[in-house]
Amino acid sequence: ETSGGAVADWLEAGGREGGRRSSSRLRGMTKSEGREFAQAYLDMGREIGWGVFRVTRFEGSRFEVEVQGSPFAEAYGTSPRPVCHFTRGVIAGLGDTLFGSATAEEIECAAAGAPRCRFVCHD
């Protein structure tokens, strides 16, 4: 609140860089594409304790992701707005790998009272 959004931007930027690097590396090691690739990549989030990720929609250069059990939302507590900035960045980095460049936004957040966190990513 007191940073004027700078911390959210820094978290998003760090997540994006990590997401871009790791998804690019994985893409070079697999033949999967599109939704299958995105889901395989995001499954790693569950393995490292970042919640259960599910690609709910993938059409053209747009996909949507749900995250159940986000530790970022749980650690933050109650908020009037989405707080999973790092995860948003990771998803944007994945979008960069898939589409060349992408924008991601968190449209629902468990910290803000939603049953799960939801993200939209598009070019």
Side-chain angles (χ1 to χ4, degrees):
E1 293 293 320
T2 60
S3 71
V7 173
D9 293 343
W10 297 334
L11 288 167
E12 190 275 339
R16 179 185 286 267
E17 184 63 21
R20 184 180 12 223
R21 287 182 183 200
S22 58
S23 62
S24 292
R25 195 171 308 121
L26 179 63
R27 195 170 200 191
M29 299 167 29
T30 183
K31 292 183 180 8
S32 64
E33 290 290 330
R35 183 185 195 129
E36 180 184 344
F37 174 78
Q39 186 63 62
Y41 175 73
L42 292 170
D43 282 345
M44 292 189 299
R46 182 191 73 246
E47 294 173 18
I48 60 174
W50 288 3
V52 177
F53 289 73
R54 187 168 68 96
V55 177
T56 57
R57 184 175 181 185
F58 198 106
E59 295 175 358
S61 57
R62 177 187 171 97
F63 65 95
E64 297 179 14
V65 176
E66 290 182 354
V67 181
Q68 190 72 44
S70 166
F72 303 108
E74 290 174 12
Y76 192 94
T78 303
S79 171
R81 63 186 140 280
V83 300
C84 300
H85 313 298
F86 190 80
T87 303
R88 177 172 46 93
V90 169
I91 291 170
L94 170 60
D96 289 347
T97 296
L98 291 169
F99 312 134
S101 70
T103 300
E105 58 187 297
E106 186 175 11
I107 58 174
E108 291 182 9
C109 185
R116 70 196 59 79
C117 300
R118 289 184 55 223
F119 301 84
V120 174
C121 184
H122 56 88
D123 67 352

